């Protein structure tokens, strides 16, 4: 299955929740969004994108790349995150995960990792 612009089904009720999440972004989400919005990395990302019965933090439809920022709430839900990621990956989506701390204190390294993955997926 090609990853490019694949429409991934989602629960329509999640649109409202995604809108709420966009209005209540965390500091790490703001930091990353400021660095990847407006095609800065050569591809267009969107925030809080519904997929299946989940919402991913950032998603690029062009190359099928999801970026998740894991805060403290994710510390105790590793199995849930793995299951969720696995279900979405069946649609050809590639995931990158970063912690809140990585985004806040190592943003250049995070951006380099994202750029590297974008190059891999574009080629």
């Amino acid at each position: 299955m090609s990853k490019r612009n694949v429409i991934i089904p989602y629960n329509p009720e999640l649109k409202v929740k995604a809108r709420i999440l966009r209005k209540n972004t965390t500091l790490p989400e703001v930091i990353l969004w400021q660095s990847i919005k407006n095609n800065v990395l050569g591809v267009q990302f969107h925030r809080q994108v519904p997929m299946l019965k989940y919402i991913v933090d950032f998603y690029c439809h062009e190359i099928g790349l999801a970026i998740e920022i894991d805060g403290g709430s994710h510390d105790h839900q590793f199995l849930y995150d793995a299951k969720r990621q696995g279900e979405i990956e069946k649609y050809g989506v590639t995931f990158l995960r970063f912690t809140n701390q990585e985004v806040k204190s190592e943003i250049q390294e995070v951006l380099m990792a994202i750029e590297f993955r974008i190059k891999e997926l574009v080629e």
Side-chain angles (χ1 to χ4, degrees):
M1 175 187 293
S2 171
K3 289 187 239 192
R4 297 188 183 274
N5 293 309
V6 170
I7 302 299
I8 298 173
Y10 65 90
N11 178 341
E13 294 172 15
L14 289 177
K15 286 178 88 169
V16 173
K17 185 174 182 190
R19 211 169 287 129
I20 291 167
L21 288 170
R22 275 185 223 112
K23 290 179 181 171
N24 296 291
T25 49
T26 65
L27 178 60
E29 288 171 344
V30 170
I31 291 169
L32 185 56
W33 181 240
Q34 293 302 317
S35 301
I36 66 173
K37 68 180 184 178
N38 299 328
N39 285 353
V40 170
L41 301 178
V43 293
Q44 183 67 47
F45 282 94
H46 300 274
R47 296 183 305 140
Q48 304 301 339
V49 178
M51 293 183 178
L52 305 177
K53 56 187 179 188
Y54 310 105
I55 297 174
V56 298
D57 293 333
F58 302 98
Y59 185 63
C60 175
H61 298 274
E62 300 167 55
I63 57 174
L65 177 60
I67 301 172
E68 286 285 285
I69 302 175
D70 296 335
S73 68
H74 291 265
D75 290 348
H76 303 290
Q77 57 184 52
F78 176 80
L79 292 177
Y80 170 82
D81 285 345
K83 176 182 181 284
R84 169 183 181 267
Q85 182 171 328
E87 288 179 28
I88 296 171
E89 284 175 334
K90 289 178 185 169
Y91 287 83
V93 174
T94 299
F95 273 79
L96 277 177
R97 291 186 109 63
F98 302 100
T99 65
N100 280 344
Q101 194 56 42
E102 286 174 316
V103 173
K104 289 194 285 191
S105 63
E106 303 168 26
I107 189 63
Q108 291 307 318
E109 290 84 353
V110 167
L111 292 172
M112 286 173 48
I114 294 169
E115 288 180 69
F116 181 78
R117 187 57 54 94
I118 289 170
K119 283 181 185 161
E120 283 184 334
L121 293 170
V122 167
E123 291 174 359

